[in-house]
Amino acid sequence: MRWVAAAVQTALFVAAAPLLAGWIKRVKCHMQNRAAPSLLQPYRDLAKLFRKEIVLAENASWLFRTAPYVVFGAFVLAAAVVPLVAVHLPTAAIADVIVLVGFFALARFFQALAGLDIGTAFGGMGSSREMTVASLAEPAMLMAVFTLAMVASTTNLSVAIEHNLDAGLVLRPSFLFALLGLAMVAIAETGRIPVDNPATHLELTMLHEAMVLEYSGRHLALVEWAGQIKLMIYAVLIANIFFPWGIAQDFAPLALGVGMVAVAAKLAALGIALVVWETVIAKMRLFRVPQFLGFAFLLALLGMLTQVILETG
Amino acid sequence: MSALDLAYAAVLAAVVSGLIPTLADARRRYVGAAAFALLGAAGALAAAAGAWTLIGDSVLTDRLALGLPWLKWHARLDAVGGFFSVIVGLVVLAASVYGPTYVREFERGPQPPLVLHLFTGFFVAGMLLVLIADDAFSFMVAWELMSVSSYFLVTFQHQNAANRRAGFLYLLMAHVGALGILLGFGVLAGFGGSFTFEAMRAAGLSSTWASIAFALALFGFGMKAGMVPVHAWLPEAHPVAPSHISALMSGVMLKVAIYGFVRFTFDLIGDIQWQWGVAVLVIGAASALLGVLYALMQNDLKRLLAYSSVENVGIILIALGLSMIFLGTGHRNLGAIGLVAALYHALNHAMFKGLLFLGAGAVLFRTHERDLEHLGGLIHRMPATAALFLIGSIAIAGLPPLNGFVSEWLTFQTALQAGSLESGVLRSVLPIAAAVLALTAALGAAAFVKVYGVAFLGKARGRHAARAREVPRGMLLGMGLLAALCVAFGVLPTAVISIMDPIPQLLVGRGLPSATAEGWIWLTPVSPRVASYSAPLVLLAIAVSYLIGRLVKLREPKPRRTHAWDCGFGALNSRMQYTSTAFAMPIRRVFGPVWKVNEQIEVTRPANAPTSVASVKHQLHVEDWSWNALYEPVGRIVLAAARRVGRIQTGSIRAYLVYSFLTLLFLLWVVT
């Protein structure tokens, strides 16, 4: 029963990811006085790509063809261990939050290699920039996560969320710092403004896009979908760790229903916050990104030190 | 027949494998094959002896008929020595499978392969003897055997001046380090009253003397292990040795140094102070971070791998430092976790660094090229080598589900237990160390994306790379063995940890029962509520998704191949690719002050058209700061001192007679 629940939740996670992307796009269009596409447009795009023929560059090796599957698989695996609607799913014990970061790193590794595989300058540039940004973002993310882990004395997501629920509404300075740090990392890692622009194909501004330029058809669909799952994972992490209210602690239908509604509302709100942020801020140059991420790292470290020095006394 | 007898047999086999080519004509192929077969037997025996000791959880001691009249050599094989014996044995076995084909190109070279075989045998024997030595005297003899024979291996291709220089530096630093170790043993022996380890364990040192002994050992063993800032010999010496020797030096010899440090600190001194842990933690963090940053800037494949060893030794030291802090503050269980994390990483590093050096050797064998900028596209030309090298790269980048991830995860878990420490300062130092480790891991992944992407992917950047062929089966088999172990140690961490259990039992007095309490599928170092990781289930998920992928692919039509799109740019050539230097450039800008960067751009413009560019000359040198900051001042001081002392050499025999007379007079005065 619990394994079934876990499988259903994972399927829900993967299926809902394009919806979140569609929601963000729609809100953004409204914000910028543009005609908005349907909420379901991302699904239509994916369906179209899945039907299309794959065109491979002559120099593409097996690694280029395998990478989309590895990337997609890694994010599905990551989605399986993040509590979305309910805590205490058996899959949550497979991997704690450090392993989760490891899954992200694995996906990134293959994506960056695929970027180098064709031998175009764009691909190499994308890989190089992605690995540079990631090498700064990953430690910041881990620091934010460690703050949480030290507060709840666990790296198991379910246990940590439950700990936060039990603790009730206490304003912890360490949490505030960690939340800010994690949010900044999430922006960098999911390729949003100001670090990257998800809607661009201009070589000066692209990071993530440059790596996947050569993909087509089903491969491109998998990569795009994986990107949407990644965005959703970060959103769910922020929503459920820092605002855990509403998440189901048992598998009663009522609790699950409440959990579903709660997480949908939280994600919708987060989506709006992201759009507001992206609308008011401008994209920055690549070499400003280290400062941005350095700040995120500093915030996360501050959170950790506040926790370690002040809160445990 | 006991495990110790097996270990003796391993040493004997290694020595004989070195001696065979001196008896027969070393240029004959069967002689080389026999030497490698015996070396492989030595590796297998050493691994078997080690595994037997670990599984049987036995401590065997013996006295050999060798040595000085009043000090027979003591031998002892316990869980710690056994564990490192397994590490040495496995890599030696892989290298000896790989070696026979690899050394074929040396057979027609200027040096007779005799030297190579002779010193390889002695080198392996020396390492195995270090692990079973039970008194300071035999330990130092074995240690020197290891150091000196590896010097001859580093300088094997000595017609190249750079190799001679690397060899000299190595020899010099090996001996300065050995001096530190010797003095450390001296302190222990002075208090213990004897050179045997047994007496040293019983020596009740005052905390000051214990700290002095510890500092000497850290310096001596750290120099051999390649910790920053005494790592300078390592990136010089490892790349110039033949590749299967590089695999042994980087994969295994550094681990023998770690063994020495663990033996000295945890076993012989025993009473660990937390301040030592902080020192080890800080040095480890510096080594890890600087090692990976220096690695990122290298374009020489083997040099890059050597710097990456500095990084990995740093990670091992971080875990050891954490363990020592917990032990020094009385948290034995947490200390045991840190120790296991360190030893697990030592095991893993031996496997993947061995694999990567053998892989670099395979590339070298077919392309005669170590410079990444001239490689590229090898995945098409050498598919099996590329696949094996990819496994090594994933493992060293610390990505699940391979082995590098498990030990880094354990180290993170150890650091996260900082909350149980009483001191607020320590509580905040540990997470910062964890942050450095996180940064190191992420940069390590970037470094190996660069290595793999530039060397194996894209288009060939040079003639040699374009004409490369797959290496012979023997070399693939050697690499395959290590790759299989990388996977096995990654997906079955609970099995490895339960086999390792006698080590923390022996050194710390606590095992790790909680790690495997939830069954072999779940790894739970502290308790299931705190953290759990299930590598077998991750592997299962990957296997299932692979099967689904296969099923889907069956319906996938054969994809159409055409030119790369490249935003419609047009025909590509290999010069348009990102180079290794270009890949690392953003990181070079972000972490600028860490290196001594010397970049020169000369633009020449034609006289008639000052706005256009005729040619651009770009020179880039990225150097290690430690040379300027540490070695050159020391070198200058030594030279200046030598010049001063040199003044007494007048060249006149009368002056020398006066010196002799004065010396005699002084000695007479001392005697009376």
Side-chain angles (χ1 to χ4, degrees):
Chain A
M1 174 59 204
R2 291 175 48 194
W3 283 97
V4 174
V8 170
Q9 176 176 289
T10 310
L12 186 68
F13 206 120
V14 173
L19 190 67
L20 180 67
W23 166 252
I24 290 172
K25 197 166 271 175
R26 207 178 152 81
V27 177
K28 198 168 192 174
C29 286
H30 279 301
M31 201 83 141
Q32 300 173 341
N33 278 332
R34 292 187 282 139
S38 146
L39 262 183
L40 302 179
Q41 191 57 40
Y43 292 101
R44 292 190 196 125
D45 290 344
L46 288 180
K48 181 185 74 182
L49 285 175
F50 269 113
R51 281 197 304 272
K52 285 215 167 195
E53 182 194 21
I54 297 175
V55 181
L56 278 181
E58 275 146 358
N59 197 42
S61 67
W62 59 266
L63 198 133
F64 186 80
R65 298 176 65 176
T66 319
Y69 298 96
V70 176
V71 172
F72 186 74
F75 282 115
V76 171
L77 207 55
V81 299
V82 175
L84 176 72
V85 178
V87 289
H88 294 306
L89 292 169
T91 44
I94 291 182
D96 66 349
V97 66
I98 302 175
V99 186
L100 192 71
V101 177
F103 289 151
F104 291 170
L106 180 70
R108 188 189 309 123
F109 192 81
F110 272 86
Q111 185 89 78
L113 285 182
L116 285 162
D117 189 41
I118 308 285
T120 62
F122 283 130
M125 185 184 71
S127 302
S128 162
R129 290 181 175 180
E130 173 93 356
M131 294 315 287
T132 308
V133 170
S135 62
L136 300 166
E138 203 180 292
M141 160 124 190
L142 276 175
M143 274 342 273
V145 160
F146 286 171
T147 310
L148 171 85
M150 302 271 273
V151 172
S153 49
T154 176
T155 53
N156 183 318
L157 276 169
S158 282
V159 181
I161 289 172
E162 212 175 32
H163 176 270
N164 290 353
L165 268 179
D166 292 344
L169 187 64
V170 191
L171 186 65
R172 288 172 176 274
S174 60
F175 261 42
L176 201 61
F177 285 128
L179 171 62
L180 286 173
L182 189 61
M184 289 171 79
V185 170
I187 283 164
E189 282 276 65
T190 52
R192 312 298 303 192
I193 292 173
V195 174
D196 191 2
N197 187 349
T200 187
H201 276 291
L202 191 68
E203 64 266 32
L204 285 175
T205 60
M206 51 190 181
L207 267 70
H208 179 79
E209 279 300 318
M211 288 189 295
V212 302
L213 269 181
E214 299 293 329
Y215 276 117
S216 57
R218 184 199 306 248
H219 293 158
L220 183 59
L222 285 173
V223 171
E224 298 270 319
W225 198 354
Q228 290 160 353
I229 298 173
K230 185 177 187 181
L231 179 66
M232 174 114 162
I233 290 175
Y234 272 103
V236 168
L237 278 180
I238 291 175
N240 279 349
I241 292 175
F242 296 99
F243 312 100
W245 303 284
I247 199 163
Q249 285 176 288
D250 54 53
F251 298 112
L254 180 68
L256 287 177
V258 171
M260 200 102 90
V261 173
V263 79
K266 281 185 275 185
L267 289 180
L270 262 181
I272 294 172
L274 179 68
V275 168
V276 172
W277 160 267
E278 286 201 323
T279 311
V280 299
I281 207 155
K283 165 96 177 58
M284 56 186 165
R285 324 168 35 209
L286 179 71
F287 287 108
R288 290 293 296 268
V289 172
Q291 291 171 20
F292 177 82
L293 288 169
F295 186 54
F297 187 69
L298 196 69
L299 279 175
L301 198 64
L302 266 180
M304 164 80 81
L305 293 182
T306 344
Q307 203 281 325
V308 163
I309 294 169
L310 296 181
E311 290 169 21
T312 43
Chain B
M1 189 72 177
S2 72
L4 199 53
D5 295 330
L6 275 187
Y8 293 151
V11 174
L12 200 67
V15 171
V16 175
S17 96
L19 290 177
I20 280 187
T22 61
L23 305 175
D25 180 6
R27 278 175 200 271
R28 289 289 174 74
R29 190 156 288 172
Y30 64 85
V31 176
F36 273 113
L38 270 168
L39 197 68
L45 285 169
W52 191 356
T53 324
L54 271 172
I55 292 167
D57 192 7
S58 54
V59 179
L60 301 161
T61 51
D62 191 13
R63 287 182 69 180
L64 296 177
L66 294 164
L68 302 174
W70 67 93
L71 184 68
K72 297 288 180 223
W73 285 7
H74 295 71
R76 171 179 148 124
L77 191 60
D78 60 13
V80 191
F83 177 71
F84 282 90
S85 183
V86 172
I87 295 181
V88 176
L90 289 175
V91 182
V92 167
L93 185 60
S96 64
V97 174
Y98 175 95
T101 343
Y102 182 75
V103 298
R104 224 174 266 167
E105 63 177 339
F106 298 122
E107 278 166 11
R108 286 180 301 275
Q111 282 83 33
L114 167 70
V115 179
L116 191 61
H117 288 301
L118 182 65
F119 288 108
T120 308
F122 283 4
F123 175 48
V124 171
M127 290 196 290
L128 294 174
L129 276 173
V130 167
L131 301 179
I132 54 174
D134 197 31
D135 62 81
F137 184 65
S138 54
F139 187 96
M140 289 314 294
V141 170
W143 185 266
E144 285 299 309
L145 182 63
M146 174 178 92
S147 294
V148 174
S149 41
S150 54
Y151 161 77
F152 287 103
L153 295 170
V154 168
T155 53
F156 177 61
Q157 288 164 312
H158 56 75
Q159 63 275 59
N160 190 337
N163 297 7
R164 292 198 299 271
R165 183 174 169 272
F168 174 71
L169 183 70
Y170 171 53
L171 198 64
L172 184 71
M173 293 189 67
H175 281 101
V176 174
L179 206 61
I181 299 169
L182 192 65
L183 290 174
F185 277 133
V187 171
L188 289 191
F191 283 88
S194 158
F195 282 106
T196 61
F197 284 175
E198 210 177 338
M200 291 184 187
R201 273 183 209 110
L205 278 88
S206 69
S207 72
T208 318
W209 277 110
S211 297
I212 291 171
F214 165 77
L216 286 167
L218 179 63
F219 173 75
F221 290 115
M223 200 167 236
K224 193 65 154 186
M227 76 182 187
V228 168
V230 285
H231 66 284
W233 63 272
L234 199 148
E236 306 293 325
H238 288 192
V240 301
S243 295
H244 64 296
I245 303 299
S246 311
L248 287 179
M249 286 183 74
S250 208
V252 183
M253 190 178 73
L254 307 187
K255 305 297 126 47
V256 174
I258 296 288
Y259 162 80
F261 180 69
V262 169
R263 172 70 77 197
F264 196 99
T265 318
F266 285 75
D267 190 12
L268 299 188
I269 301 183
D271 191 16
I272 290 169
Q273 299 170 18
W274 63 263
Q275 290 91 336
W276 306 350
V278 176
V280 173
L281 187 67
V282 170
I283 292 175
S287 303
L289 192 56
L290 291 177
V292 72
L293 284 171
Y294 290 145
L296 260 165
M297 290 304 128
Q298 302 304 320
N299 292 336
D300 177 326
L301 179 54
K302 286 179 76 178
R303 218 175 136 84
L304 189 153
L305 291 176
Y307 267 120
S308 144
S309 289
V310 175
E311 172 212 342
N312 280 284
V313 164
I315 295 175
I316 297 171
L317 288 180
I318 288 179
L320 279 179
L322 290 171
S323 168
M324 291 167 75
I325 289 176
F326 283 120
L327 287 176
T329 50
H331 299 86
R332 284 187 175 271
N333 285 334
L334 299 176
I337 298 177
L339 182 63
V340 167
L343 296 181
Y344 205 144
H345 198 74
L347 171 72
N348 290 341
H349 180 242
M351 299 304 133
F352 50 63
K353 192 48 68 65
L355 169 58
L356 290 171
F357 264 117
L358 295 185
V363 172
L364 199 58
F365 185 71
R366 281 304 189 211
T367 63
H368 297 278
E369 200 60 80
R370 279 182 358 207
D371 190 347
L372 287 172
E373 309 287 34
H374 297 140
L375 294 171
L378 293 179
I379 195 168
H380 303 290
R381 314 285 309 173
M382 305 168 73
T385 308
L388 293 169
F389 202 93
L390 181 65
I391 292 180
S393 302
I394 297 175
I396 199 169
L399 300 173
L402 294 189
N403 58 352
F405 179 75
V406 179
S407 42
E408 283 181 19
W409 186 77
L410 281 172
T411 313
F412 279 131
Q413 292 298 342
T414 318
L416 283 178
Q417 302 308 313
S420 48
L421 292 170
E422 288 74 30
S423 147
V425 179
L426 278 185
R427 273 211 306 269
S428 50
V429 167
L430 264 56
I432 293 174
V436 174
L437 182 58
L439 187 60
T440 307
L443 287 169
F448 280 89
V449 166
K450 171 181 126 163
V451 171
Y452 198 79
V454 176
F456 287 92
L457 303 178
K459 294 187 166 185
R461 293 172 168 83
R463 217 154 29 90
H464 293 303
R467 288 185 195 156
R469 288 181 293 131
E470 188 54 88
V471 292
R473 208 167 292 149
M475 291 169 74
L476 289 178
L477 197 64
M479 291 188 271
L481 174 67
L482 292 177
L485 290 171
C486 282
V487 177
F489 293 153
V491 296
L492 293 170
T494 41
V496 177
I497 288 179
S498 59
I499 291 173
M500 281 166 71
D501 209 44
I503 305 174
Q505 295 272 13
L506 187 78
L507 295 181
V508 183
R510 296 286 163 87
L512 270 187
S514 60
T516 50
E518 301 292 305
W520 65 275
I521 295 182
W522 306 97
L523 178 62
T524 50
V526 184
S527 85
R529 273 188 73 79
V530 171
S532 56
Y533 169 48
S534 172
L537 287 182
V538 172
L539 187 74
L540 182 72
I542 291 170
V544 168
S545 44
Y546 176 75
L547 285 178
I548 295 173
R550 288 308 301 196
L551 290 176
V552 174
K553 248 198 178 145
L554 286 180
R555 295 193 289 112
E556 186 174 284
K558 200 170 156 41
R560 189 152 57 87
R561 293 263 182 181
T562 180
H563 301 299
W565 174 53
D566 201 20
C567 295
F569 186 71
L572 276 178
N573 69 42
S574 64
R575 300 257 303 155
M576 295 174 185
Q577 297 177 98
Y578 246 50
T579 59
S580 158
T581 315
F583 189 91
M585 184 270 184
I587 293 176
R588 197 175 78 229
R589 264 188 79 163
V590 173
F591 294 93
V594 172
W595 306 275
K596 195 178 148 224
V597 180
N598 183 4
E599 189 173 16
Q600 286 174 331
I601 305 170
E602 270 177 51
V603 181
T604 32
R605 300 179 189 281
N608 52 353
T611 47
S612 56
V613 174
S615 68
V616 179
K617 204 169 151 192
H618 177 240
Q619 276 190 323
L620 178 69
H621 289 286
V622 183
E623 279 171 37
D624 196 325
W625 264 117
S626 64
W627 278 107
N628 288 52
L630 187 69
Y631 296 93
E632 281 175 13
V634 170
R636 273 200 298 276
I637 291 169
V638 170
L639 270 183
R643 227 171 278 129
R644 290 268 162 81
V645 174
R647 274 194 210 144
I648 64 168
Q649 269 191 337
T650 55
S652 139
I653 190 122
R654 280 169 296 174
Y656 294 152
L657 283 172
V658 172
Y659 294 156
S660 312
F661 176 70
L662 289 176
T663 312
L664 273 175
L665 215 59
F666 175 74
L667 286 176
L668 276 172
W669 175 66
V670 169
V671 168
T672 55

